[in-house]
Amino acid sequence: ALDVSGSIWMIDPEGGKMSWSKITSPGAIISIAGTGRKLYALAGDDGVMFQCEPSAGEIKWLKAAYRNNSTITEDIRMIAMAGDGIYGISSKGYLYSGDHRSEGNLTVRTMAISSGSGTVLIISADICGLNDSYTGLVKRAITEKYGLPSGAIFINSTHTHFAPVSQNWLTWQEANQRPDSTYLYSTIRNAMLRSVDEALDCRKPAMLFFGRGNTDIGYNRSLAAHPELYDSSVDVLKVRYTDTGRESFLFLASCHPVFSTAGKLHYTISANYPGVARKLVEERTGTVNSIFIQGTAGDINPRDNGEYITGEKLANEVVAVAGKPMTEIEGEISIFLDTINVAVEPWGKSEILRFREENQAKPGDIYAEKNVKWSDIMLDHYEKGTMASSLPVYVHTVNIGNWKLVGFSRETTTEYGFG
């Protein structure tokens, strides 16, 4: 229930005593609505809508939507839920239905390759990233069903910045720290397992070919004055099925899917340029499937401000490489999992305190807020005596004959691409 002051009250019907208790509220609220799992609250003047899960115990409100004057321009004053939809009434009395803007191209795609007694799965997911504990759950499910070892399951995130939150980004705003559990453990997990099932079921005799091209889709955002510090390689793996002659492609490039054309695309769920490139490659080659693998893109941003420009450039190069003589890949499959402990020298406590103080003086700056959160985490390590002297990087290597694919657990920078 909502009172006239904008406070929210709750009754627990299973608690025995039927009485109202006040719960934490994200400011002065003018309307509330709920589903079986989530409670939504609409703030007054700025039109921000928040959500929380009361059943989770601790009430944590996260921003769900706001009037950005691009996709949401209406002055909504009341909200209601019906079925799977959310509805709003504006200050002028008009009724609106809420609509997630999406290009509908977030996918999980898997290539299953068997040679001799070995099999490897290369899984590409249109998400920003996943925690190791989560990929461990997915791998265990695949191992239990098919008997494949963990090292035979290679998972790559395309790293699109336009997908729902899929892991805990500790230093960012709270909405970036709490993935939706249904999305994580139902939508993504089930998509991964279905994709693996289909890839293993669809294996047919085929020949593999490799080729390499170059593209200018990115630049080094950390060292913009050094354009040479950008691994511009485009690696293409072509699969040609021996019974039909049909082809499919796996291609790899190194660039952040982070920029979009201004306006509504900025608020649209999408795979960004990898989705555009895949679609164009399939249309121009007549293939039924293509897979994008993200490379060493940690410090590489798109050169062009638009997913369609970047996607078209990349697709053009993939098609060009596929049309030239390519090297046949032959041989057995081998896999390796390694850990490298990288030595680090943490800042001193006084240095962190000074850094925190400098950033604390910048209210409203999301990067300053991030730096304050980071400082608090570091100071907590000093307090507990748990400050690390090294950080592990997990390295996953898959060899298919004379072709090598190497994956890193962190957002690897362009210099590793050269290596």
Side-chain angles (χ1 to χ4, degrees):
L2 188 66
D3 68 20
V4 292
S5 68
S7 299
I8 302 174
W9 299 76
M10 180 173 70
I11 283 180
D12 180 4
E14 297 179 358
K17 186 180 178 182
M18 294 291 284
S19 62
W20 291 98
S21 58
K22 193 174 182 178
I23 69 171
T24 304
S25 174
I29 301 303
I30 60 172
S31 182
I32 57 174
T35 62
R37 191 166 62 94
K38 288 185 179 179
L39 179 65
Y40 294 85
L42 181 67
D45 295 334
D46 50 6
V48 177
M49 188 168 68
F50 298 88
Q51 66 180 27
C52 74
E53 294 188 42
S55 60
E58 182 187 11
I59 300 292
K60 282 284 187 182
W61 291 98
L62 302 177
K63 185 186 287 187
Y66 65 101
R67 193 167 68 236
N68 54 42
N69 294 318
S70 181
T71 57
I72 302 176
T73 59
E74 300 76 22
D75 180 26
I76 300 298
R77 311 305 291 172
M78 185 178 289
I79 54 175
M81 305 295 299
D84 293 327
I86 187 163
Y87 300 86
I89 299 175
S90 73
S91 56
K92 295 182 179 180
Y94 295 116
L95 180 66
Y96 295 90
S97 62
D99 180 33
H100 257 309
R101 284 191 58 84
S102 174
E103 293 186 347
N105 60 359
L106 294 187
T107 60
V108 174
R109 298 171 182 231
T110 301
M111 180 177 283
I113 303 173
S114 297
S115 178
S117 59
T119 296
V120 65
L121 301 171
I122 301 172
I123 303 172
S124 171
D126 288 326
I127 46 178
C128 199
L130 290 169
N131 288 337
D132 180 64
S133 57
Y134 181 87
T135 56
L137 288 173
V138 173
K139 288 186 176 189
R140 280 193 293 276
I142 296 170
T143 298
E144 288 171 7
K145 186 170 184 178
Y146 293 106
L148 292 173
S150 177
I153 307 163
F154 186 102
I155 299 176
N156 179 269
S157 299
T158 64
H159 201 66
T160 174
H161 281 221
F162 298 88
V165 175
S166 55
Q167 71 182 105
N168 182 351
W169 307 100
L170 278 171
T171 58
W172 285 102
Q173 295 167 318
E174 202 157 26
N176 298 109
Q177 299 174 22
R178 293 175 174 267
D180 182 86
S181 57
T182 301
Y183 181 70
L184 201 58
Y185 295 103
S186 179
T187 304
I188 297 177
R189 177 183 174 277
N190 290 347
M192 284 186 166
L193 297 180
R194 282 200 310 273
S195 178
V196 167
D197 289 344
E198 292 173 11
L200 288 169
D201 288 345
C202 291
R203 281 173 296 173
K204 293 185 294 185
M207 299 172 68
L208 294 179
F209 301 89
F210 173 76
R212 173 170 286 172
N214 285 279
T215 183
D216 66 344
I217 61 174
Y219 74 96
N220 194 313
R221 66 184 182 189
S222 301
L223 298 165
H226 293 276
E228 73 278 7
L229 292 180
Y230 160 49
D231 179 15
S232 59
S233 301
V234 176
D235 287 1
V236 180
L237 192 69
K238 179 166 70 175
V239 181
R240 180 181 296 154
Y241 297 100
T242 52
D243 58 345
T244 63
R246 294 290 299 272
E247 295 176 342
S248 59
F249 297 94
L250 180 149
F251 57 97
L252 183 152
S254 303
C255 185
H256 256 85
V258 65
F259 284 161
S260 71
T261 304
K264 292 184 177 181
L265 275 179
H266 186 70
Y267 303 98
T268 301
I269 293 173
S270 79
N272 205 249
Y273 80 82
V276 175
R278 288 188 309 233
K279 185 172 183 291
L280 292 175
V281 167
E282 290 162 12
E283 289 175 352
R284 293 172 184 179
T285 59
T287 58
V288 294
N289 201 0
S290 63
I291 298 177
F292 170 84
I293 296 291
Q294 183 59 263
T296 53
D299 49 1
I300 304 301
N301 270 10
R303 184 178 298 278
D304 301 295
N305 187 17
E307 60 181 87
Y308 301 114
I309 301 172
T310 303
E312 172 128 20
K313 282 184 175 181
L314 179 55
N316 288 342
E317 188 60 17
V318 171
V319 173
V321 171
K324 298 174 183 176
M326 302 179 77
T327 303
E328 186 175 356
I329 297 171
E330 298 178 290
E332 297 297 305
I333 292 173
S334 60
I335 51 179
F336 301 92
L337 292 171
D338 299 292
T339 302
I340 301 172
N341 284 305
V342 181
V344 294
E345 187 175 342
W347 282 3
K349 192 173 181 179
S350 59
E351 194 173 3
I352 294 173
L353 285 167
R354 184 170 61 251
F355 182 71
R356 188 188 190 285
E357 187 176 342
E358 290 171 359
N359 283 276
Q360 185 75 38
K362 301 174 183 176
D365 183 328
I366 62 169
Y367 292 100
E369 290 176 6
K370 177 175 72 77
N371 292 336
V372 170
K373 290 190 181 81
W374 176 84
S375 299
D376 289 340
I377 293 170
M378 295 301 104
L379 292 170
D380 186 56
H381 279 302
Y382 269 117
E383 187 73 25
K384 295 176 179 176
T386 55
M387 182 64 80
S389 58
S390 66
L391 290 173
V393 176
Y394 307 118
V395 184
H396 191 170
T397 306
V398 174
N399 296 307
I400 303 171
N402 53 340
W403 183 71
K404 183 186 294 288
L405 178 65
V406 183
F408 297 90
S409 61
R410 296 182 182 273
E411 199 172 325
T412 317
T413 56
T414 198
E415 290 88 345
Y416 286 88
F418 296 138

